Each structure stands twice: as C-alpha cells, then as structure tokens.
Amino acid sequence: MNEPVYLDHNATTPVAAPVVEAMLDCLRHVSGNPSSAHQPGRRAAALVAESRDSVAALIGAQAAEIIFTGCATEANNLALLGVAAARPGRRHLIISAVEHPAVLEPARQLERQGWALTVVPVDSSGRVAPAEVAAALRPDTALVSIMHANNEVGTLQPIAAIAAVTRAHGVLLHTDAAQSAGKIPVDVAALGVDLLTIAGHKFCAPKGIGALYVRTGTPLAAILHGAGQERGLRPGTENVPAIAGLGAAARLARERLPEAGRSLREPRDRLHRLLAAEIPGLALNGHPGERLPNTLHVSFPGVTGRELLEAVSADVAAAVGSACHSGQDTVSGVLAAMGCDAARARGAVRLSTGWDTTGPDIERAAQALIAAWQKACRPPAAAGHPAD
Ligand code: PLP
C-alpha cells in the first residue's frame, strides 16, 4: 500500500540523499576525534571546519560565529541561559507570546530564578509589533528573544525592525530560526540579530544536530561545563557525522533556496486553492503573505482537526497545531495568543510541504481531506448540497 503523503515537514524533514552520502562517508572514513593532534583527528577537525563554513555561508555569518549544538532546543537554552549568566546586573528578559517551548521554558526557568519576564503579545496574524518590544524594554533588559518563523502557523516576525529597536537600546536580540533556516533566505546581518538558532532536521539534516550563531563580541557563558570544544561554549566531543550532515544540508539549502517558490510555495498554494474551492468556511490561520512558503495552517469548519486527520491517516500525514503538543484536543497556545476562538482552533490542521512534495501528492491529499470533511459534515442524503 502507498505511504501517506507526508505533509508534516515543520515537524521534521526526510534526510536528503546528499546528506546521507556525506554522513555515510564520514562514518566509513572519518573516525578520529577532532581534538586529537594526529592525522585521523586532523581529518575529523577538517570535516567539522568544512561544515562550519557551510552553515556560516547559509546565514551570512563568519565560521567562528557558529557553535554546533545537539539540537535547536539546546541552542535556544544556550542563548537564553548563556546570555543571562554573562550579563550580571541585568535581570529582565522579553519573549513573544508564540515562542516554542524551547524558548518559553528556559525563560520560565530564569523567572523561577528571580528574573523578570515580559511576554509581548501578537496580533491576529501572529505578528509582534516592534513598538510592543520597545514599550517592554527596561534599563535592566538583558535579552529579547523573538522567533523568526512560527512552527505552527508559519508567520514571519519583523526581526530587522525589532533589531533596530534593541540595538538602539544596547539590548541583545536572539531569534529562533529553527523553522526558517533552509526554507527562506536567512542573513544575520540583514536581520541584525546577535544570536540565531538553527535546527538541522527542519532542513533535511538528521535529528539531533543544531547550531547557534553568536555574533563576534556577544557576551555568552557556557551552560555545560567540560573540555574546550566549540570555544568552550558547547563542551563534549563533536558529533562529527551529524555535523557533516548539517554541512551537506546547508550546502544543499543554499543551492535550492532560489527554487523555494516553485518547490514549496506553489504546491502549498495549490493545496489551499483545492481545499478552499470545496470547503466553504475554510479559514487560513497566520499571516497571508508574511509566512513560511511551505506552511498551510487552516481551520476546517464543523470538525476537529484531530478527527479529520484520523479519517485521512491512510492518505495524509500532517499535524494538528504542532507535533510537540499533539495528543490532546486542547487549544494551541499560539492560536490562543492570536485570539482565535476555540471552535476554529479545534478545527485547525497544519499542512507543511517539503522539497519532494509533488503535484500528485497535493491532488491525493486534497481529495482525501475534502472527502473526509464532506463525510463528517454532510449527512449522506444531503451529499452534493452545502453543509448546514
Ligand atoms: N524551535 C522551533 C521554532 C521549533 O519548531 C522546534 C522544533 O519543532 C524547536 C525549536 C526545537 O527543535 P529540536 O526539537 O530539534 O530541539
């Protein structure tokens, strides 16, 4: 039987073939410890350096500004807790109301340690107004952390405008770019950020590898303590095969970013058109334009997203809200922050395309979703008439 169409690329992506090749080559031929002075060690160190160059090039950074981490969660923790530890005297942090738990939870941890935390609101499309950040700043603000792209609805934040505010006040800015890096152009200079998080498995590298960009001169303390790897900021022997995979994924992303419109946005928009044509009242969540090119977050009227996805599970693999929160019919915190009512939030489904999503995939997914919605919302005798 055919596998279901995979439309959950915001949860994770399949590992791309060139990434698998790079990792297998490393596993087969590069066995040294990058810290060792001998030839096998130097080979491993050279591979790590090559990957660092590739990741830096993807985001317009210097190689020395890239710290490899075990995942995006760890990069976010290093950014928040590491800046907090390095800025004595400052005890205030600002985040947005739609952050991933990998930012929210370290922020809450700082709050438990006596820090003041301001959570700035978002509008109905999920956007933060730079003026809200400006209004929240205090003389003792150490860091502002606002995500680049939201994992659920895909809304992009006006990071460059927020950076103009934080810079004017000498406050550091971190952005969690786990969802945007590799899907849209991400340039640290254009964004004006001091710290930026990357997640390998969101752009075709394996799970369990991430990176933190740290602008030269940014005060940051280690949160793990050990040997001196990654400039002492992330001690522990490097995961060389995963780093090789991340480097290959970064090179691949740079090559195909110009194709994102055709490969990600067109299938996404076609799916939206097909669904909207047959489902009166289908509502788009998130910003209509300032949004990741692969993300379609829609609310189906009269059903819950969970029921709908269960009904189409043989044909479509997608998510209600975000993968991290699935398992319950509770309203997503992101949709609640956007002021979405409970019925609309319960009908929400996140459909996220990937580089390998094809036209036939979109047809099949649309047909399955439309048929399941019609079955759930129309009594059989009324088939062919609008749902009441
Ligand atoms: N930040 C965002 C925006 C995410 O979407 C995710 C994963 O879903 C993470 C951080 C955490 O990534 P990981 O689970 O790889 O640490």
Side-chain angles (χ1 to χ4, degrees), residues 8-385:
D8 202 10
H9 292 82
N10 285 11
T12 196
T13 53
V15 179
V19 175
V20 173
E21 288 310 314
M23 293 183 71
L24 285 177
D25 194 58
C26 173
L27 285 163
R28 288 194 178 112
H29 305 297
V30 186
S31 57
N33 184 326
S35 298
S36 300
H38 47 59
Q39 197 253 354
R42 287 201 303 274
R43 235 167 123 181
L47 190 51
V48 170
E50 186 191 28
S51 289
R52 202 184 304 280
D53 286 343
S54 302
V55 171
L58 179 66
I59 59 168
Q62 307 286 323
E65 296 174 318
I66 302 297
I67 305 294
F68 290 120
T69 62
C71 55
T73 299
E74 189 192 324
N76 285 341
N77 273 259
L78 177 57
L80 270 70
L81 304 178
V83 166
R87 300 205 94 179
R90 297 192 181 225
R91 301 281 284 174
H92 177 233
L93 175 72
I94 299 172
I95 64 170
S96 85
V98 293
E99 295 302 315
H100 189 274
V103 162
L104 176 61
E105 290 307 321
R108 292 271 180 235
Q109 176 63 15
L110 288 171
E111 201 180 26
R112 284 189 287 274
Q113 292 169 6
W115 279 61
L117 174 66
T118 303
V119 180
V120 291
V122 294
D123 65 16
S124 59
S125 72
R127 297 257 286 179
V128 172
E132 293 278 0
V133 176
L137 287 174
R138 303 187 346 186
D140 65 341
T141 306
L143 180 71
V144 173
S145 180
I146 308 279
M147 72 198 323
H148 191 199
N150 184 261
N151 43 301
E152 292 186 37
V153 295
T155 295
L156 296 168
Q157 298 298 346
I159 296 297
I162 293 170
V165 170
T166 53
R167 282 200 168 172
H169 291 82
V171 171
L172 296 173
L173 177 62
H174 166 248
T175 193
D176 176 356
Q179 288 290 347
S180 57
K183 291 184 189 138
I184 58 171
V186 170
D187 183 278
V188 290
L191 291 174
V193 293
D194 302 290
L195 303 121
L196 179 143
T197 290
I198 288 177
H201 71 107
K202 309 290 186 185
F203 65 103
C204 306
K207 294 151 195 67
I209 184 70
L212 182 67
Y213 157 78
V214 185
R215 181 184 298 284
T216 303
T218 303
L220 188 71
I223 58 170
L224 292 179
H225 303 284
Q229 293 93 347
E230 299 300 294
R231 296 195 283 118
L233 287 169
R234 205 289 185 163
T237 302
E238 297 87 341
N239 183 349
V240 183
I243 290 172
L246 184 62
R251 292 190 288 278
L252 182 65
R254 276 191 88 197
E255 273 169 34
R256 53 188 190 181
L257 270 176
E259 296 294 314
R262 195 174 53 77
S263 300
L264 302 176
R265 183 178 285 111
E266 278 181 22
R268 190 266 320 255
D269 288 347
R270 182 142 168 269
L271 180 58
H272 191 190
R273 282 195 303 276
L274 291 170
L275 295 176
E278 297 296 329
I279 301 175
L282 186 85
L284 176 70
N285 301 310
H287 198 283
E290 290 299 312
R291 187 164 47 113
L292 287 172
N294 78 321
T295 305
L296 178 63
H297 194 286
V298 278
S299 291
F300 291 77
V303 290
T304 68
R306 178 167 315 284
E307 287 162 355
L308 194 69
L309 289 186
E310 270 166 23
V312 298
S313 61
D315 289 298
V316 183
V320 265
S322 78
C324 315
H325 313 130
S326 59
Q328 301 272 317
D329 264 340
T330 50
V331 171
S332 132
V334 171
L335 295 182
M338 289 162 56
C340 186
D341 68 66
R344 177 165 167 174
R346 275 197 295 273
V349 173
R350 180 186 69 183
L351 303 154
S352 47
T353 57
W355 295 95
D356 298 326
T357 306
T358 63
D361 287 342
I362 293 298
E363 293 284 343
R364 183 177 160 208
Q367 276 171 19
L369 286 162
I370 291 164
W373 178 81
Q374 288 177 339
K375 194 166 171 216
C377 289
R378 289 180 189 177
H385 300 286

